[in-house]
Every structure is written in C-alpha cells, then in structure tokens.
C-alpha cells in the first residue's frame, strides 16, 4: 500500500497543468476573436464616415461641391432647403474606444477623411475591397485612411 502514496497528487497536478494550458488557449482565441470583431467595426465605421463625407460633398447646392469643415456638419447638412443627415451620429473609434478620430484635411482645411488613432498592428493584412486596397500590409490601424475623393469614383 505504501508504494502508491502520492500517485493521486501527481495525477491532480497533471490535470491542473492540462486545464491551465487549455484555459490560456481559450483566452487567446477569445482575444483574437474580439480583435477581429473590432477590426470589422472599424471598417464599418470608417466606411460610414467616408460615405457621409461623399454625400455631404455631392449634396451641395447646384454644382458647388464642398467638404465639411467638422465632423459635426455630417450630422445635419442644412445647405439646401431640405436638410439632410449624411451621418446619424458620430461614432467612436472602436480600436481606441474614444470619440476622437484622426482627421485628414485638404489644402482648404476641410475634412476629406478619417483614420483611427490606434498604433496597434492590424490582424487583417489582405482581402480588402478595391476602394480600400491601400490597407493591405498596413503597419498600424492609423494607416487605414478612410478618404473620399471624387477622382476615386471615376477610377473604380
């Protein structure tokens, strides 16, 4: 009977080690899944801003196209007799979880695009739609620039 002393202890320690490894792997997978979801959310929100800028630019009176000076102008465009809402609300940057975005401005100081302020490296490296082809192999989320330029419409 004395030869079996400590066997149960070794089995329990082995089971604890296996459970620890499985738990760590599950946490890593959960973190990776969450990050992929945040990337998708960044793409959706960035494209929403890009589309709102496009609507604002093309929705000016007559042939006078202009970009907004602030993101708030995308919420309520009253340049026409019938005001429009190119964007329903100002979205937070999902990567930094802040309401602040990096703004891309033209020579006149108007907003032509937005980008995340996150310095993290993207998981997604390829497989972007044609209008976002420049995102491939970006080093940081801040390199994902959601810009509207009229010349891009004609080249797509």
């Amino acid at each position: 009977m004395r030869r079996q002393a400590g066997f149960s202890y070794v089995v329990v320690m082995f089971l604890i080690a296996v459970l620890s490894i499985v738990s760590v792997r599950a946490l890593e997978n959960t973190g990776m899944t969450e990050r992929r979801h945040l990337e998708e959310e960044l793409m959706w929100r960035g494209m929403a801003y890009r589309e709102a800028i496009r609507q604002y630019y093309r929705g000016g009176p007559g042939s006078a196209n202009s970009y907004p000076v602030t993101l708030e102008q995308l919420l309520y465009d009253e340049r026409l007799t019938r005001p429009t809402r190119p964007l329903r609300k100002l979205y937070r940057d999902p990567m930094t979880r802040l309401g602040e975005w990096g703004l891309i401005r033209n020579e006149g100081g108007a907003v032509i695009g937005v980008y995340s302020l996150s310095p993290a490296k993207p998981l997604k490296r390829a497989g972007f739609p044609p209008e976002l082809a420049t995102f491939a192999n970006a080093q940081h989320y801040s390199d994902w620039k959601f810009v509207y330029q009229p010349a891009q419409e004609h080249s797509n």
Side-chain angles (χ1 to χ4, degrees), residues 8 13 24 36 51 56 70 76 95 99 102 112 117 123 128 147 151:
S8 296
M13 293 304 289
V24 167
R36 287 190 194 284
E51 176 62 18
Y56 186 94
T70 65
Y76 192 74
M95 304 314 288
I112 63 170
L117 297 175
L123 297 175
F128 294 99
V147 178

Side-chain angles (χ1 to χ4, degrees), residues 37-104:
H37 174 72
L38 289 174
E39 276 188 359
E40 288 176 13
E41 192 65 24
L42 174 61
M43 297 266 297
W44 186 88
R45 292 178 184 187
M47 289 302 290
Y49 274 111
R50 183 177 184 265
E51 176 62 18
I53 292 168
R54 184 189 73 76
Q55 286 179 16
Y56 186 94
Y57 179 84
R58 297 182 72 201
S63 62
N65 296 327
S66 64
Y67 288 105
V69 178
T70 65
L71 291 180
E72 287 75 15
Q73 287 180 308
L74 297 173
L75 297 175
Y76 192 74
D77 182 5
E78 52 188 38
R79 296 176 297 166
L80 297 172
T81 55
R82 183 175 181 175
T84 60
R85 294 180 176 274
L87 194 65
R88 294 291 171 193
K89 69 176 190 172
L90 295 179
Y91 298 106
R92 291 179 176 268
D93 177 350
M95 304 314 288
T96 63
R97 294 184 169 84
L98 300 173
E100 186 178 354
W101 290 82
L103 300 179
I104 302 166

Side-chain angles (χ1 to χ4, degrees), residues 1 3 13 17-18 30 41 50 56 63 71 91 93 97-98 118 125 127 130 135-136 143 150 153 155-156:
M1 199 64 140
R3 286 199 254 145
M13 293 304 289
V18 168
T30 302
E41 192 65 24
R50 183 177 184 265
Y56 186 94
S63 62
L71 291 180
Y91 298 106
D93 177 350
R97 294 184 169 84
L98 300 173
S118 173
R125 311 287 287 162
F135 289 13
D143 295 334
E153 283 185 329
S155 63
N156 288 340

Side-chain angles (χ1 to χ4, degrees), residues 22-32:
V22 169
S23 297
V24 167
R25 292 285 183 212
L27 284 173
E28 286 175 354
N29 286 342
T30 302
M32 195 68 69

